[in-house]
Amino acid sequence: MGIMAGTPMEEKYPQVGLAPEEVAAKQKEFGANQQPALPTAFWRLVLNGLWGPLPWLLEAAIILEFFLGKGLQATFILLLLVFSAVDGAVQKKRSMKALGGLHADLRTQSRVKRGDQWENMPADGLVPGDIVHVQLGDVIPADGTVLIGGLSADQAALTGESAPVAKAVDDPVYAAATVVSGDAIVQVTKTGTNSSYGKTAELLTHATAPGRLEKLLFGIVRLLVILDVALVLVLTVTALLRGTSIMSLLPFLVILFIATIPVAMPSSFTVANSVEASRLAKKKILVSGLTGIQEAASLDVLLVDKTGTLTQDRTALAAVSALEPASYNEDAVLTLAAAACDPQGRSSIERAIREGAAKKGTVLTPTSFTPFDPAKKYSAATVTWQAHDHQVQLGSPTILMQAAQVPDNLRAELAKLTATGARVVAIAADGVIVGLIAIADPIKPDVPALIKRLRTRGVQVIMLTGDTRATAQAVAQQVGLQGAIGTPAEMDQAPRDYAGFANVLPADKFRLVQDLQKAGAVVGMLGDGVNDAPALKQADVGIAVTTATDIAKLAADIILTKPDLGAINDVVDSGQRVYQRMMTWIITKLTRTAQLTILLTFGYLFTGFFPISLSMIVFIVMMNDSVTLTLGTDRTYPSDRPTRWQLGDLAKIATGLTLGWLVLGFLLLWYFEYQLHLSADSTSTLLFAYLIFSAMATIYMTRTRGAFWRAVPSRTVLGVTCLNMVLTTVMGLTGFITPRAPIGPYLLVIAGVIVFAVLLDLLKQAFYRQQAA
């Protein structure tokens, strides 16, 4: 830490800074000027995947299985659980590695006055009450108030305002904003998590999207538990009437519990999402939150930040208007304006004007220059042009209209340029306003096509910006958003009636996401700045663009690493594929679980023994789960409309399939038991084959709304289902592991499954046609 001679600005502040004892006391009270780091250790990420309602349910099943001596099945469940946690951690770690460090922009040096000396010291040592000197190029290290001087700050990442904001004496400045012109002495008011930047970052620790997957899981479990309770009551009453010991039914009750738990569901979702994450990675789309992919299938509202997302976040010359064309044509206006720009300044407006003048080939060097003063709101220069010296001012039209002669056509021309959403500056020469220059942030060329495509997919796009309503309305028209532009005060009324909202703060974006979610919408957020981060984290699908800040990327589920916004459609397509694969899993899970438990229950009531041995049920569960893990690779075709996880509709299909398969199952049981008088072992093997074959058929039937024989599955799904059927046949006909079954009845099982699969598929197609109508 060094001590340097004071600058002229520093010499204007003679008061002493904080004393060492004051600094120590405030550091103890407020802590360091830092944001808390989020956990990044791999083992912590894995542990996060093992904590929550979903893992707890599976962990309870593992404990019960070990307690009952079912070590093989307990190990199987444990492996699936660990696989889900590790795979999720790998995806998160990969995205973190790609994003780099968080809050690196605040790990800077600051010029601070302590006691009676100005010092250079790390910004993380600042405390409220410190006196700091910020100047051109500095990142403002903490919230504060301007005491002396003035500056312009680029705070777009925090507030969404596309143009630099002038700060004069007594005006507030915010942490993480960048000084683009001027310098000032600032007194620190808030540091660390209390600063505007810190409060925005802190929202990330509280923001979280609704757990739709968990709700869906427990909805499935609830349906199956209701069925289990009903079957237990039937068995208990029957046992009491027959005088049978309740303890003899305990093994069956355990099987009911194990069959009810969707053991493979978390892993199946993880596989499906990982397959799509890999697919998206090949298109330069980074996935950091796997659940964001599956939620994209249901996306129906997309909130989009304007600055840097819809626009290029690169100010450029939009128009030049000559108000006195006889004396100063457009080229002359631009030449004089460029002479009044600071060549060393970082102001985006001055840079755009100088670049525009350079393209015309005329850039003059002023004989004297006064930089832009945030208090006066204009810069000034003396320039020699056409053999004469001219006094030129460049700045706010409102201010210059008070100090210079106003042409009759100025107000009409100013209104015309302002209506385009551009930022307009005026140029005065020798006491007369001679021209206006419009500076705009160009729209990204692919944005109108993206919005049009999303609209055809049933996704409503709502723009959010910190800019004024007039600017927002102009941009909305350019990108194809139709409707009024509202303000934060109007968000709570009917947000989906608006094309966008202006003057929006980070908390407003966060609140809007929450309100839409409470109303039942599946919300996406597309953004790039610190001010977008809380909304990105809260959204069901958070998407950060390639130019986003680190904190925005860390908060998002999806990071676009290329400028092409059309990649959002690829994300929605991936979500649709995950939805279709998991819809197959859910219907199959409901069908086969209900089919197994009802067949066991009523088979026991009719025959006096369990028609399928409990040991074979372990093979049934493992074979079925092995197939569900491969569904994530299945071949699917994305829908062009948002899809929803409607458990009620899925349950209707599952109920119809269950009833159909149970008709076949009880017919086979009756025939084997009362017509062929087969042994209990042979009947058990034949029904084992029936359950495996019907489960495989159900997978083929539920993976498409059309005829199942016309939709070709992926090689993995085809291979595993065929392998299961071959293994079942080998076990059944050779007596390997299971008791040997006669070949005639075995072929009857296969024929029955084929016939019922065709009939049930026809009924399924009729159900979907009726639903579509």
Side-chain angles (χ1 to χ4, degrees):
M1 180 170 63
I3 300 176
M4 300 175 59
T7 65
M9 178 62 70
E10 292 171 1
E11 292 173 355
K12 294 180 181 179
Y13 189 81
Q15 291 87 346
V16 297
L18 295 177
E21 56 272 16
E22 293 179 290
V23 173
K26 291 194 175 187
Q27 284 179 337
K28 184 176 181 180
E29 179 181 359
F30 298 103
N33 183 31
Q34 295 176 335
Q35 315 308 325
L38 297 177
T40 58
F42 184 77
W43 66 272
R44 285 186 177 272
L45 297 175
V46 172
L47 287 180
N48 287 342
L50 298 175
W51 186 259
L54 274 174
W56 294 339
L57 190 63
L58 297 184
E59 287 155 8
I62 293 170
I63 293 171
L64 180 61
E65 289 282 14
F66 273 120
F67 178 75
L68 296 172
K70 305 287 186 181
L72 177 62
Q73 189 153 340
T75 303
F76 181 69
I77 299 172
L78 178 61
L79 290 175
L80 291 178
L81 178 61
V82 172
F83 168 78
S84 296
V86 171
D87 189 68
V90 168
Q91 297 291 338
K92 191 70 177 177
K93 194 69 177 178
R94 184 181 70 172
S95 67
M96 287 180 173
K97 183 178 179 181
L99 298 181
L102 179 63
H103 307 310
D105 52 354
L106 290 185
R107 296 177 188 144
T108 57
Q109 293 285 311
S110 292
R111 185 78 172 153
V112 186
K113 190 170 190 179
R114 292 278 173 84
D116 58 357
Q117 297 290 337
W118 285 94
E119 309 172 359
N120 289 328
M121 59 172 287
D124 57 11
L126 294 178
V127 296
D130 262 330
I131 305 301
V132 297
H133 179 199
V134 292
Q135 49 194 321
L136 175 65
D138 285 350
V139 174
I140 298 175
D143 288 1
T145 303
V146 176
L147 298 178
I148 298 175
L151 54 85
S152 287
D154 179 358
Q155 52 192 39
L158 285 163
T159 65
E161 297 167 289
S162 57
V165 180
K167 302 290 183 179
V169 173
D170 293 333
D171 285 342
V173 293
Y174 303 109
T178 303
V179 180
V180 296
S181 67
D183 66 334
I185 302 298
V186 173
Q187 184 170 37
V188 174
T189 56
K190 296 178 181 178
T191 59
T193 56
N194 294 316
S195 69
S196 53
Y197 182 96
K199 287 186 178 298
T200 300
E202 193 175 28
L203 281 174
L204 296 183
T205 63
H206 304 296
T208 178
R212 283 188 174 82
L213 174 58
E214 292 181 356
K215 291 179 181 178
L216 182 67
L217 171 66
F218 287 110
I220 295 171
V221 173
R222 184 170 58 250
L223 289 177
L224 296 177
V225 165
I226 292 172
L227 175 63
D228 287 350
V229 170
L231 296 178
V232 168
L233 289 175
V234 170
L235 282 173
T236 303
V237 171
T238 303
L240 292 174
L241 292 175
R242 291 179 176 179
T244 305
S245 171
I246 299 296
M247 293 304 296
S248 65
L249 299 178
L250 184 59
F252 173 72
L253 299 181
V254 173
I255 288 298
L256 283 181
F257 175 76
I258 297 302
T260 298
I261 298 175
V263 172
M265 184 179 186
S267 296
S268 299
F269 270 74
T270 299
V271 169
N273 288 323
S274 295
V275 168
E276 291 305 318
S278 298
R279 185 195 296 260
L280 291 174
K282 293 177 182 178
K283 297 181 179 181
K284 305 302 181 183
I285 302 171
L286 180 63
V287 178
S288 64
L290 292 179
T291 57
I293 300 177
Q294 66 200 33
E295 296 292 0
S298 306
L299 184 68
D300 55 4
V301 178
L302 180 63
L303 305 179
V304 183
D305 172 61
K306 179 187 77 70
T307 306
T309 304
L310 293 181
T311 66
Q312 298 178 23
D313 198 17
R314 178 186 59 81
T315 52
L317 196 64
V320 178
S321 175
L323 302 176
E324 301 283 346
S327 304
Y328 301 92
N329 60 20
E330 291 183 358
D331 287 349
V333 167
L334 187 58
T335 297
L336 293 177
C341 294
D342 186 351
Q344 305 301 321
R346 295 180 57 185
S347 165
S348 56
I349 293 176
E350 292 181 313
R351 185 174 62 250
I353 292 174
R354 289 183 62 83
E355 288 176 355
K359 290 179 180 178
K360 296 288 186 179
T362 309
V363 178
L364 301 177
T365 300
T367 55
S368 68
F369 175 73
T370 303
F372 178 83
D373 185 341
K376 295 181 179 180
K377 297 188 183 301
Y378 65 84
S379 61
T382 301
V383 60
T384 302
W385 180 68
Q386 293 185 343
H388 293 88
D389 289 339
H390 298 271
Q391 304 299 319
V392 181
Q393 291 86 34
L394 173 69
S396 166
T398 303
I399 298 299
L400 291 183
M401 286 168 66
Q402 300 172 2
Q405 183 178 337
V406 180
D408 295 338
N409 58 345
L410 185 146
R411 287 178 173 81
E413 192 65 21
L414 179 61
K416 176 183 175 182
L417 293 176
T418 303
T420 65
R423 185 178 178 88
V424 182
V425 293
I427 302 91
D430 302 323
V432 179
I433 297 179
V434 297
L436 297 172
I437 294 180
I439 306 296
D441 186 0
I443 300 297
K444 292 180 180 178
D446 57 344
V447 166
L450 169 67
I451 291 176
K452 183 178 180 180
R453 174 66 180 130
L454 289 174
R455 187 183 298 118
T456 63
R457 303 194 73 157
V459 180
Q460 179 184 2
V461 178
I462 300 176
M463 181 181 68
L464 305 177
T465 178
D467 280 332
T468 64
R469 181 179 287 192
T471 299
Q473 190 71 64
V475 173
Q477 292 175 353
Q478 293 178 51
V479 300
L481 292 175
Q482 301 175 351
I485 298 296
T487 62
E490 298 167 309
M491 277 185 178
D492 296 330
Q493 299 172 10
R496 299 191 67 169
D497 291 344
Y498 292 88
F501 293 94
N503 302 314
V504 174
L505 298 175
D508 297 323
K509 297 181 182 182
F510 181 70
R511 175 169 56 89
L512 179 58
V513 173
Q514 288 184 314
D515 289 346
L516 288 169
Q517 288 171 335
K518 291 176 183 177
V522 178
V523 185
M525 176 68 199
L526 179 66
D528 72 323
V530 175
N531 62 323
D532 300 318
L536 285 168
K537 182 73 179 296
Q538 175 67 28
D540 300 290
V541 188
I543 307 173
V545 298
T546 182
T547 55
T549 60
D550 280 355
I551 192 171
K553 290 178 179 178
L554 186 59
D557 301 302
I558 311 291
I559 301 99
L560 309 182
T561 62
K562 294 196 304 182
D564 181 19
L565 291 181
I568 295 173
N569 281 303
D570 294 323
V571 175
V572 175
D573 286 344
S574 288
Q576 293 282 355
R577 283 189 285 268
V578 170
Y579 169 84
Q580 292 184 35
R581 292 162 185 161
M582 292 303 97
M583 182 181 67
T584 299
W585 185 93
I586 293 168
I587 297 173
T588 303
K589 172 64 180 177
L590 292 172
T591 300
R592 72 186 184 217
T593 302
Q595 178 187 0
L596 171 63
T597 55
I598 293 174
L599 184 64
L600 282 172
T601 301
F602 288 95
Y604 175 79
L605 295 180
F606 295 149
T607 64
F609 65 89
F610 290 117
I612 305 165
S613 68
L614 299 184
S615 60
M616 287 186 185
I617 294 177
V618 175
F619 284 99
I620 292 174
V621 172
M622 295 181 67
M623 285 183 171
N624 285 332
D625 286 345
S626 68
V627 178
T628 58
L629 287 175
T630 68
L631 289 176
T633 68
D634 196 15
R635 185 179 288 110
T636 58
Y637 304 94
S639 169
D640 224 18
R641 306 297 297 174
T643 52
R644 289 299 182 100
W645 300 98
Q646 298 290 351
L647 186 56
D649 291 340
L650 301 179
K652 290 178 183 178
I653 300 172
T655 299
L657 294 174
T658 299
L659 293 175
W661 287 125
L662 283 174
V663 169
L664 175 62
F666 284 121
L667 284 174
L668 292 173
L669 178 60
W670 168 80
Y671 185 69
F672 298 150
E673 179 69 14
Y674 296 105
Q675 298 301 310
L676 298 183
H677 303 291
L678 297 177
S679 66
D681 286 344
S682 295
T683 298
S684 180
T685 298
L686 290 169
L687 291 180
F688 165 69
Y690 146 77
L691 287 170
I692 292 296
F693 289 144
S694 61
M696 300 304 104
T698 300
I699 288 174
Y700 284 108
M701 293 160 56
T702 55
R703 54 180 299 277
T704 175
R705 295 188 172 214
F708 75 85
W709 53 85
R710 292 179 180 172
V712 180
S714 68
R715 292 181 180 179
T716 307
V717 172
L718 181 63
V720 175
T721 52
C722 289
L723 179 62
N724 275 345
M725 289 186 285
V726 169
L727 287 175
T728 300
T729 301
V730 171
M731 291 166 61
L733 296 181
T734 65
F736 175 68
I737 300 179
T738 63
R740 184 175 179 277
I743 189 170
Y746 198 91
L747 293 176
L748 179 63
V749 169
I750 295 175
V753 168
I754 293 174
V755 170
F756 269 74
V758 173
L759 293 176
L760 290 175
D761 194 69
L762 293 174
L763 292 175
K764 175 208 70 178
Q765 294 177 56
F767 172 81
Y768 280 126
R769 284 195 298 268
Q770 182 181 16
Q771 194 180 47

